[in-house]
Amino acid sequence: MTSANDLLSEISAVGADRARGGYSRHVFTTADSELREWFSAAARVRGLDVQVDRNANVWAWFGAPGADAVVTGSHLDSVPGGGAYDGPLGVVSALAAFDMLRAEGFVPRRPLAIVVFAEEEGGRFGVPCLGSRLLTGTLDPADALVLRDADGTSFAEAARVAGLVPEHFGRDDETLGRIGAFVELHVEQGRGLIHLDSPLAVGSNIIPHGRWRFTFTGQGNHAGTTLMDDRRDPMLPAADMIRTVRRAAAAVPEARATVGRLVPTPGGTNVIASQVDVWLDARLPEPGNVRELVAAITEQARAAAELEGCGLDVVEQSFEGTAHFDPRLRDELTTLLGGAPVLPTGAGHDAAVLAPFVPTAMLYVRNPSGISHAPEEFAEPADIDHGTMELARVLRSLAG
């Protein structure tokens, strides 16, 4: 019987990013293909029936697929330069939990499945949870297919190269209708469990969050011949916006706002940019407060752009309101796991996308540093083993 820690070791070299550190594993890339093939092979070795749905999500079924299934799993993709645990921990723990159930001769009363969702992080095409959003119909496939990566490749083009049929993407009522309950195990992306001195928690909710792209446009020109007074440089309002984001969020209790990506065009050292794209990630406990914060940032960014003689276009790329996990399922798991603490989170997950459609719950495994979306992300092997055993307990209870 292979442990979750051993399974993590099996994929430890896939998608390693030598430039950034950590891992860069994005949908329909070589790394993504290797990980999907690894999961499919690991599932088949266990006698599971592997299927790929119309939206590129991979399913492994313990027995025949059917309605009212108990489903677990997560994702295998990462942010650029991400850690080893965000996503993969939920997949490897699911495989190891199935091993435990098999070893004890467990025969499920309800169908059981593991799912690997496609492009949860949005690391390549900018929109998170593409696989689960398309599955549930919360993202129009027409909008998804035209998304482009940094090289200009569209989501549709990349999917076709990967052997999928992008024309089939969209809400999948047959697959969605099979899910009777979804439980996602994930490394904690914060310090809640450190303060509670607990290896495991049950999720309560995910706070509202969204992504916006700010496009500042000016006049590209020569860095050596264009006088300072003659410039319309979009880099200036972009830089001003970054400081605005920090100040605006710091003034609102519990707000989190981040600029983690800025792309100048054409991007030459001796060239005044003609355009600068800035991506804003904003999160707050109340949906209206998130939008108010973004509106305040937008107002100041627009004023800075006008002062420099530049234009500004703002596009909302994604937004999720508060995701409340099923209270009955949450309470059932809390009791089953011996009164495990219940925690909210500011991190988004596929479970949040599924929550309005099916009973959904999350389990968090302690992260001793609290660092995530970075190479330093970590979980102790003993905590991973504990999380796997508790996940097996949950699956046994729900499907038995």
Side-chain angles (χ1 to χ4, degrees):
M1 188 164 60
T2 308
S3 73
N5 288 289
D6 291 336
L7 292 168
L8 279 174
S9 295
E10 290 182 10
I11 60 173
S12 61
V14 181
D17 192 323
R18 295 182 179 180
R20 300 181 180 95
Y23 296 91
S24 292
R25 299 160 163 169
H26 308 312
V27 71
F28 305 145
T29 62
T30 300
D32 178 65
S33 176
E34 289 182 21
L35 290 168
R36 291 161 71 90
E37 290 174 4
W38 167 84
F39 172 75
S40 297
R44 290 191 180 103
V45 164
R46 289 164 171 79
L48 306 182
D49 179 27
V50 178
Q51 301 178 357
V52 179
D53 69 22
R54 60 190 289 186
N55 295 300
N57 306 306
V58 186
W59 298 78
W61 289 89
F62 187 162
D68 197 33
V70 177
V71 180
T72 187
S74 191
H75 61 97
L76 291 170
D77 67 297
S78 75
V79 298
Y85 302 86
D86 179 359
L89 181 59
V91 176
V92 299
S93 63
L95 288 168
F98 273 38
D99 285 348
M100 291 179 182
L101 296 176
R102 272 263 172 81
E104 66 186 43
F106 175 71
V107 178
R109 177 180 53 83
R110 300 165 65 180
L112 269 173
I114 303 171
V115 62
V116 175
F117 285 110
E119 184 74 333
E120 192 270 354
E121 298 290 4
R124 181 174 181 185
F125 292 100
V127 175
C129 300
L130 279 179
S132 56
R133 286 174 187 268
L134 288 167
L135 168 68
T136 57
T138 51
L139 174 64
D140 189 325
D143 293 333
L145 294 177
V146 297
L147 294 171
R148 294 189 178 275
D149 66 11
D151 295 325
T153 302
S154 73
F155 183 60
E157 292 165 345
R160 193 169 283 110
V161 170
L164 295 161
V165 183
E167 291 79 13
H168 291 174
F169 287 173
R171 183 179 170 99
D172 185 347
D173 287 317
E174 180 181 359
T175 300
L176 185 62
R178 289 174 172 172
I179 306 173
F182 178 66
V183 180
E184 181 174 3
L185 181 145
H186 206 281
V187 66
E188 190 196 3
Q189 297 173 284
R191 299 179 57 83
L193 284 169
I194 299 172
H195 300 312
L196 293 170
D197 192 27
S198 175
L200 192 78
V202 177
S204 59
N205 66 281
I206 296 176
I207 69 173
H209 57 282
R211 298 183 185 187
W212 290 261
R213 187 185 71 231
F214 287 64
T215 300
F216 296 91
T217 53
Q219 177 59 60
N221 215 328
H222 195 293
T225 61
T226 309
L227 298 177
M228 305 309 287
D229 288 344
D230 293 337
R231 301 185 179 206
R232 293 194 296 116
D233 184 353
M235 190 65 77
L236 269 69
D240 184 85
M241 175 192 162
I242 295 171
R243 296 187 65 87
T244 295
V245 167
R246 181 63 177 267
R247 289 194 297 264
V252 180
E254 298 188 72
R256 305 107 196 242
T258 307
V259 171
R261 184 180 173 204
L262 179 151
V263 178
T265 301
T269 304
N270 59 345
V271 181
I272 300 168
S274 59
Q275 177 175 306
V276 177
D277 289 294
V278 181
W279 282 263
L280 169 68
D281 179 298
R283 310 175 189 230
L284 252 170
E286 295 297 330
N289 292 348
V290 178
R291 295 194 183 281
E292 288 176 8
L293 176 63
V294 173
I297 291 169
T298 301
E299 182 180 358
Q300 294 188 54
R302 199 171 299 283
E306 292 174 356
L307 188 64
E308 182 64 16
C310 293
L312 172 62
D313 182 55
V314 181
V315 175
E316 181 181 293
Q317 292 193 313
S318 65
F319 183 80
E320 292 289 340
T322 305
H324 294 286
F325 297 125
D326 186 83
R328 181 177 299 178
L329 183 56
R330 177 201 64 211
D331 293 346
E332 181 180 349
L333 298 194
T334 301
T335 301
L336 178 68
L337 302 179
V342 178
L343 287 178
T345 184
H349 301 284
D350 290 304
V353 178
L354 293 182
F357 302 91
V358 298
T360 304
M362 287 199 71
L363 303 177
Y364 300 122
V365 171
R366 178 169 50 196
N367 179 337
S369 67
I371 295 172
S372 187
H373 281 189
E376 295 82 6
E377 180 180 84
F378 186 64
E380 295 285 355
D383 286 350
I384 292 174
D385 288 340
H386 179 75
T388 301
M389 288 188 293
E390 296 298 66
L391 177 62
R393 186 199 300 265
V394 167
L395 298 176
R396 187 187 304 111
S397 175
L398 294 178

